[in-house]
Amino acid sequence: MSDHRTLTGQRRRADTRKRIIEAAIPLFAQGGEVLVIEDFVRVANVSRGTFYNYFRTVEELHEAAEQWQLNILNQQVEAKLVGLSDPVERFACALRFYLETGRQDMAWSGFMARLEHGAGSAAERRFTLDLRQGQKDGLFAKLSSSIAYDVVNGLMMRSFARMAVKKTCGWHLDEVVRTAMRALGASSTKVEQALEIFRQRKAVK
């Protein structure tokens, strides 16, 4: 019984923490000059005391929400890349899946557009590995991984900012990917093959 109560309590705490984070994300996405704890207490429908059981400050909540979103996003994208070994296909498909997520959720796009480090360290590590492999195979131009990531990340963040305020068509996002891959030196033929793979995998629920 003691173990059962402990597990039940842990699940309840995890559920409450998740509720606060999920309620906070649209507020962070909207931005605004000042967000205070009362804003999050209201949207999450919890007491101020309950809020302080999980987060001490708005900044701490923002950090948790950022990590929460990035973990979910990167897990979803990784699942879509299973079975792909070609660096261009992996790189282009990953970009397109990130963009597609933003296209379907304007609030999420707003949240992503405000992140300082893009899709996070896990995504940067994956991009770096794919870039280096592609360079080794002669599929990408010889440029530093940090410059490549900054160029692609800048383009992605601007696209998220646009999608946060305006509905964006799929063909526009295809062009974003083409532009990013062109900057890396990938051939247009391989990029088009990658976009076709994206469309096939997107159709599979």
Side-chain angles (χ1 to χ4, degrees):
M1 283 297 294
S2 177
D3 288 344
H4 175 72
R5 284 196 296 270
T6 298
L7 290 173
T8 300
Q10 290 173 345
R11 283 195 295 267
R12 188 180 297 116
R13 283 184 56 81
D15 288 344
T16 302
R17 185 177 188 274
K18 177 183 177 183
R19 178 152 56 96
I20 295 171
I21 289 174
E22 290 182 336
I25 288 171
L27 287 182
F28 286 130
Q30 293 165 14
E33 293 188 4
V34 179
L35 286 170
V36 296
I37 288 172
E38 283 72 15
D39 295 321
F40 302 102
V41 165
R42 174 177 50 80
V43 296
N45 194 27
V46 297
S47 69
R48 190 180 180 91
T50 297
F51 179 94
Y52 280 122
N53 285 335
Y54 300 91
F55 307 104
R56 292 170 295 179
T57 64
V58 171
E59 290 73 21
E60 189 174 300
L61 172 58
H62 186 275
E63 183 177 338
E66 176 179 325
Q67 195 57 53
W68 179 276
Q69 283 289 87
L70 293 180
N71 286 343
I72 292 174
L73 172 64
N74 287 316
Q75 288 171 11
Q76 290 173 340
V77 171
E78 284 296 336
K80 294 291 188 180
L81 300 181
V82 169
L84 295 182
S85 58
D86 182 281
V88 174
E89 292 176 354
R90 285 179 53 80
F91 209 121
C93 281
L95 295 182
R96 191 60 181 83
F97 276 117
Y98 283 124
L99 292 169
E100 186 63 22
T101 303
R103 188 176 76 87
Q104 295 177 11
D105 190 336
M106 294 176 72
W108 185 90
S109 282
F111 183 82
M112 288 295 293
R114 288 175 170 81
L115 298 185
E116 291 185 17
H117 306 295
S121 57
E124 184 170 3
R125 284 194 298 272
R126 174 171 24 80
F127 286 171
T128 299
L129 288 173
D130 287 337
L131 177 71
R132 288 174 177 168
Q133 184 60 53
Q135 290 173 331
K136 181 179 177 181
D137 295 343
L139 302 174
F140 289 130
K142 298 292 185 181
L143 68 167
S144 77
S145 58
S146 59
I147 290 176
Y149 186 78
D150 287 348
V151 168
V152 173
N153 187 57
L155 183 58
M156 294 289 284
M157 292 303 103
R158 186 67 196 99
S159 297
F160 285 131
R162 178 185 296 276
M163 288 188 285
V165 297
K166 182 180 180 180
K167 270 293 185 182
T168 306
C169 296
W171 65 265
H172 177 89
L173 301 184
D174 287 347
E175 279 299 305
V176 171
V177 173
R178 290 184 182 107
T179 301
M181 299 304 288
R182 191 179 305 126
L184 300 182
S187 76
S188 58
T189 299
K190 289 197 69 67
V191 174
E192 293 308 314
Q193 291 173 350
L195 288 172
E196 180 57 32
I197 291 172
F198 158 77
R199 285 186 281 271
Q200 293 172 359
R201 296 197 170 199
K202 175 176 172 286
V204 178
K205 302 298 182 181

